[in-house]
Amino acid sequence: MKRITIREVSEKAGVSTAAVSYVLNGRIGKVSQETVDKVRKAVDELGYIPDFSARSLAGNRSKLIGVVIPQTEDRKQLLLQNPFYSELVCGIEARLRQSGYHMILSGVDKGEGYLDTSMQRNLDGAIIMGIYQESFYEDLKKVRLPIVLIDSYIHDSYFHVVGVDDELGGYLATKHLIDNGHTAVALVTGSIRKDGVMEKRFLGYKRALKEAGLFYNPDYVFEDSVSYEYGQEAGRVIAEKHPDITAVFAVSDMVALGVISGLAEAGRHVPDDVSVIGFDDISVARMCHPPLTTIRQDIVGRGSMAAERLLQAITDSEESLPQEPTVMPLTLVQRDTVRRLTPE
Amino acid sequence: MKRITIREVSEKAGVSTAAVSYVLNGRIGKVSQETVDKVRKAVDELGYIPDFSARSLAGNRSKLIGVVIPQTEDRKQLLLQNPFYSELVCGIEARLRQSGYHMILSGVDKGEGYLDTSMQRNLDGAIIMGIYQESFYEDLKKVRLPIVLIDSYIHDSYFHVVGVDDELGGYLATKHLIDNGHTAVALVTGSIRKDGVMEKRFLGYKRALKEAGLFYNPDYVFEDSVSYEYGQEAGRVIAEKHPDITAVFAVSDMVALGVISGLAEAGRHVPDDVSVIGFDDISVARMCHPPLTTIRQDIVGRGSMAAERLLQAITDSEESLPQEPTVMPLTLVQRDTVRRLTPE
DNA sequence: TTACGCATTTAAAGCGATTTCAATCCTAAT
DNA sequence: ATTAGGATTGAAATCGCTTTAAATGCGTAA
């Protein structure tokens, strides 16, 4: 299909290309109403579709947002299979599309920074999920791009952050178990890195324990990776080596599902024998059996909020300092995997 | 960060910008080895990063692929929450990145075609999932873009297709139930449109029935939407109104999970009371309880195959007529939701 | 009538590549 | 020594749009 250019539009409308550009970009005040009408008419009649490459080249605005997702351990595939990320992406895409932006979804290759991509594509901004090495963020800053971080506790006012209060979540989850009479509650978590999401939840876990006057037993925390498989493994170990444990707080729903499966393999059933609480409330949480009790966050909402904030930052760019992190709410949703422990 | 242009590289290397462009694009044969070396050196030292907008404008190649995902009923969100699509995307992204392409992931707005996006962004190709109105495809053809269709049986040799033999899948699933002694097997499916995926599976279902000398009972097919929720509803109805049904073939794993849940709600358990078989083998299929017996397709593989074929089509473009559809293999994976029916 | 100021409009200069095509350089053949 | 012919090179045109800066038109004050 032949491309209609701004020049053809300008000729048809009987004005200059500059005028057309002004109208197209809503630079009202620069042109008379009469011109606006003529141009609009010509655009419609010709079926003009702007070329964003040219626009990006000339104007330095691409209407493209980079969205980075973490990858599987083997670094071959996106972690999009994890519903947490796919739901985030849903939220992001919907909001971006609404404003005429497009999203380039990708992972980042081992070692490679994201700098290349962002410069090649003249990105207008980026949303980064997952946690990376220091140098990755340094690169990002060099490009002077508005950036929103999701699940990161990086201390750097350059970045916008849209998160949840993970410490509170950990606390809420653990407290719920304790409130149900459990005193031996395990934590199954991904690796606890300083200032990471996992650490915060871990801190919440300990706070709840302490508040209830419970002893914090390091043997009760199972730390490795946040995956279904590890949850399963932890579940088996708990069933076999720790019959005293009656409740477990799994740091994500995926892990919780694994724990339940591992437990079941070893003959211990949820919630009859052991109570389990998850985190996130991904959509399968209410589809599985038994439906999972969990700490709910509105993941899709968090995604659109991230997009929202990014768009905000892009428009009133002019180096306005990022405000405080946006903190999305967390709520406990009770389903069927936690049962009151009645003293025998 | 200041942008280094091809001009600066050319100055540093002491050659023309044309030479630099040749080297950058691997047009060897156009330049001497000496020039190549000089340019490479300058590129490295300067840390040159090409501007794809400019490249796209001048050369008509953007290295951008459009990937379209269907949306939820309310048309507000991507159907990315459906593991089938997210796994496809994983496969696609991995393959594209490997060749230096990026992917613009989006849904398409009600009514709006995809024509705008593809022209605006100078896409090099597109991968379309889901089924749309005729006009959507017509638009696509106008742009003369290489296009790969996933889950579509459109009769049009313009499009490349990467699919599976859905009829066979339906047959295999149904036959497996019959082989296990079931004679009253229901089908729970999305709406059966002519030449759609659902119709093929339906056809396979009927073939298996016929082959086994079984009567095809329209009351046994539950047709609405392919979603967990509908599965659940169908499960309830089966439990309450059709106690004679002992097995169900659900047209996707998501639906199967719903059926199991609906059945359970009404007190009928899988596989003790009813056998269920799904389709796809999404990752949760083996994580849920009981693990789902299903017809497996390598979804991620299908995604990368789609990308592969698209890249192929892009390189040897020159209007080479699309070959036959690529048909990916299907296998039955037996897990715990199908049980042999022993005559009482 | 002339001049001035403001609102519009437009010609033209980029933006950073690719690509055409004429110019230049070699090498080998006459 | 000349010259034909192939291999390299590089100046300049282009791609489609934004934006600057200069030009134009028009109403009003001097």
Side-chain angles (χ1 to χ4, degrees):
Chain A
M1 208 165 118
K2 199 184 136 290
R3 157 146 251 137
I4 307 287
T5 71
I6 201 176
R7 148 153 258 111
E8 301 173 58
V9 173
S10 75
E11 277 161 12
K12 172 136 194 164
V15 299
S16 74
T17 63
V20 176
S21 175
Y22 288 146
V23 173
L24 257 31
N25 293 292
R27 287 249 197 302
I28 338 210
K30 303 279 277 184
V31 286
S32 67
Q33 186 57 44
E34 193 194 341
T35 307
V36 171
D37 294 340
K38 280 192 294 187
V39 171
R40 290 253 167 79
K41 186 149 166 289
V43 164
D44 282 352
E45 290 179 10
L46 257 32
Y48 167 76
I49 297 174
D51 181 324
F52 279 45
S53 303
R55 184 173 281 183
S56 157
L57 181 57
N60 252 333
R61 271 167 278 106
S62 61
K63 288 243 177 191
L64 267 184
I65 302 298
V67 174
V68 175
I69 306 202
Q71 300 182 272
T72 49
E73 307 263 301
D74 58 14
R75 292 196 146 260
K76 282 290 161 50
Q77 251 174 58
L78 296 186
L79 221 50
L80 203 56
Q81 318 214 7
N82 183 328
F84 178 68
Y85 291 111
S86 57
E87 291 186 30
L88 276 172
V89 171
C90 288
I92 293 172
E93 199 271 346
R95 182 62 189 82
L96 290 184
R97 179 142 43 101
Q98 193 186 314
S99 293
Y101 280 74
H102 281 138
M103 154 184 106
I104 287 190
L105 186 69
S106 74
V108 295
D109 275 324
K110 211 187 325 251
E112 309 275 336
Y114 194 57
L115 194 142
D116 281 29
T117 303
S118 43
M119 298 227 30
Q120 286 170 348
R121 301 293 184 184
N122 280 115
L123 299 183
D124 285 350
I127 298 179
I128 312 284
M129 314 180 207
I131 302 186
Y132 305 84
Q133 303 149 311
E134 186 70 18
S135 67
F136 179 80
Y137 298 96
E138 290 308 317
D139 268 13
L140 246 25
K141 284 169 71 169
K142 281 195 216 132
V143 202
R144 326 214 85 261
L145 219 55
I147 289 185
V148 173
L149 261 26
I150 290 182
D151 64 28
S152 165
Y153 278 90
I154 279 255
H155 289 298
D156 189 325
S157 69
Y158 177 86
F159 300 105
H160 294 254
V161 172
V162 174
V164 295
D165 187 340
D166 290 291
E167 198 273 348
L168 177 66
Y171 170 81
L172 253 29
T174 312
K175 180 167 190 311
H176 180 62
L177 295 172
I178 295 174
D179 285 350
N180 273 277
H182 297 275
T183 53
V185 359
L187 169 69
V188 179
T189 177
S191 85
I192 297 176
R193 278 183 278 189
K194 180 103 185 74
D195 286 329
V197 168
M198 297 305 141
E199 189 198 26
K200 303 294 180 192
R201 296 186 189 172
F202 172 52
L203 258 25
Y205 164 80
K206 288 205 288 191
R207 175 157 68 96
L209 249 35
K210 186 168 186 182
E211 189 183 277
L214 255 31
F215 179 61
Y216 161 59
N217 182 349
D219 287 350
Y220 285 0
V221 356
F222 301 83
E223 173 188 355
D224 191 291
S225 76
V226 24
S227 67
Y228 179 83
E229 287 71 21
Y230 177 62
Q232 218 168 12
E233 189 186 321
R236 277 191 294 259
V237 173
I238 289 174
E240 288 160 12
K241 307 239 163 75
H242 298 272
D244 48 320
I245 291 178
T246 63
V248 3
F249 164 34
V251 96
S252 93
D253 288 348
M254 239 25 206
V255 173
L257 259 27
V259 168
I260 293 173
S261 157
L263 245 20
E265 259 178 54
R268 307 208 68 195
H269 291 285
V270 174
D272 299 328
D273 305 322
V274 181
S275 287
V276 173
I277 187 168
F279 204 114
D280 287 345
D281 195 23
I282 59 182
S283 50
V284 293
R286 62 172 188 290
M287 302 183 184
C288 58
H289 271 275
L292 195 63
T293 291
T294 190
I295 299 295
R296 169 177 172 72
Q297 53 172 313
D298 175 3
I299 311 181
V300 174
R302 191 167 164 190
S304 39
M305 172 59 85
E308 179 70 42
R309 238 187 113 154
L310 184 61
L311 293 177
Q312 198 64 246
I314 289 172
T315 39
D316 43 61
S317 72
E318 316 317 331
E319 305 302 320
S320 68
L321 277 193
Q323 315 90 305
E324 287 297 287
T326 302
V327 178
M328 308 286 291
L330 242 30
T331 56
L332 169 68
V333 1
Q334 302 191 31
R335 287 198 275 248
D336 305 345
T337 55
V338 172
R339 175 154 307 171
R340 168 156 286 281
L341 186 68
T342 45
E344 331 174 9
Chain B
M1 207 165 121
K2 197 183 138 291
R3 159 147 248 134
I4 308 287
T5 71
I6 201 177
R7 149 152 256 109
E8 300 172 58
V9 174
S10 75
E11 277 163 11
K12 173 139 194 161
V15 299
S16 74
T17 62
V20 177
S21 176
Y22 288 145
V23 173
L24 257 32
N25 293 293
R27 287 247 198 304
I28 338 216
K30 301 279 280 182
V31 287
S32 66
Q33 186 57 47
E34 193 195 340
T35 308
V36 172
D37 293 341
K38 280 192 295 187
V39 171
R40 291 255 167 78
K41 185 149 167 290
V43 165
D44 283 352
E45 291 179 9
L46 257 31
Y48 168 77
I49 296 174
D51 181 324
F52 279 45
S53 303
R55 182 174 282 183
S56 158
L57 180 58
N60 253 335
R61 272 167 277 106
S62 61
K63 289 248 176 185
L64 268 184
I65 303 296
V67 174
V68 175
I69 308 203
Q71 299 183 274
T72 48
E73 307 263 301
D74 58 13
R75 293 195 145 259
K76 281 292 161 47
Q77 251 176 58
L78 296 186
L79 221 49
L80 202 58
Q81 318 214 6
N82 183 327
F84 177 68
Y85 291 110
S86 58
E87 291 185 29
L88 276 173
V89 171
C90 288
I92 294 171
E93 199 272 344
R95 182 63 190 84
L96 290 183
R97 181 143 41 101
Q98 192 186 313
S99 292
Y101 281 75
H102 280 138
M103 155 185 105
I104 288 190
L105 186 69
S106 73
V108 296
D109 275 324
K110 214 188 320 257
E112 310 273 339
Y114 194 57
L115 194 141
D116 282 29
T117 304
S118 44
M119 298 227 33
Q120 287 170 350
R121 302 293 185 184
N122 279 116
L123 299 183
D124 285 349
I127 298 178
I128 313 284
M129 315 181 206
I131 303 186
Y132 305 84
Q133 304 150 310
E134 186 69 18
S135 67
F136 179 79
Y137 298 97
E138 289 309 315
D139 268 13
L140 245 25
K141 284 168 73 169
K142 282 195 217 134
V143 203
R144 326 212 86 264
L145 220 53
I147 289 186
V148 174
L149 262 26
I150 290 182
D151 64 31
S152 165
Y153 278 89
I154 278 256
H155 289 298
D156 189 326
S157 69
Y158 177 85
F159 300 105
H160 295 254
V161 172
V162 174
V164 296
D165 188 341
D166 290 292
E167 198 273 348
L168 177 66
Y171 171 80
L172 254 28
T174 312
K175 181 168 189 311
H176 180 62
L177 295 172
I178 296 173
D179 285 350
N180 274 278
H182 298 274
T183 54
V185 359
L187 170 70
V188 180
T189 176
S191 85
I192 297 177
R193 278 183 279 187
K194 181 105 185 70
D195 286 328
V197 168
M198 296 306 140
E199 189 198 28
K200 302 294 181 194
R201 296 187 189 172
F202 173 52
L203 258 26
Y205 164 80
K206 288 206 288 191
R207 175 157 68 96
L209 249 36
K210 188 169 186 181
E211 188 182 277
L214 256 30
F215 179 62
Y216 161 60
N217 182 348
D219 288 350
Y220 285 180
V221 356
F222 300 84
E223 172 188 356
D224 191 290
S225 76
V226 25
S227 66
Y228 179 83
E229 286 70 20
Y230 178 61
Q232 217 169 13
E233 190 187 319
R236 275 191 296 258
V237 174
I238 290 174
E240 287 160 11
K241 308 235 163 77
H242 298 271
D244 48 321
I245 292 178
T246 63
V248 2
F249 163 34
V251 97
S252 92
D253 288 348
M254 236 30 204
V255 173
L257 259 27
V259 169
I260 293 175
S261 157
L263 247 19
E265 259 178 54
R268 306 208 68 195
H269 291 284
V270 174
D272 299 328
D273 305 323
V274 181
S275 288
V276 172
I277 188 169
F279 204 114
D280 288 345
D281 195 23
I282 58 180
S283 51
V284 293
R286 63 171 187 289
M287 300 183 186
C288 58
H289 269 275
L292 195 64
T293 291
T294 191
I295 300 296
R296 167 176 173 74
Q297 54 172 313
D298 175 4
I299 311 181
V300 174
R302 190 168 165 188
S304 37
M305 172 60 84
E308 180 70 41
R309 239 187 113 152
L310 184 60
L311 293 176
Q312 199 64 246
I314 290 172
T315 38
D316 44 61
S317 70
E318 315 320 330
E319 303 303 320
S320 69
L321 279 193
Q323 315 89 307
E324 288 297 287
T326 302
V327 179
M328 308 286 290
L330 243 28
T331 57
L332 169 68
V333 2
Q334 302 190 33
R335 286 197 275 248
D336 306 346
T337 54
V338 172
R339 176 153 308 173
R340 167 156 286 281
L341 187 67
T342 45
E344 331 176 9

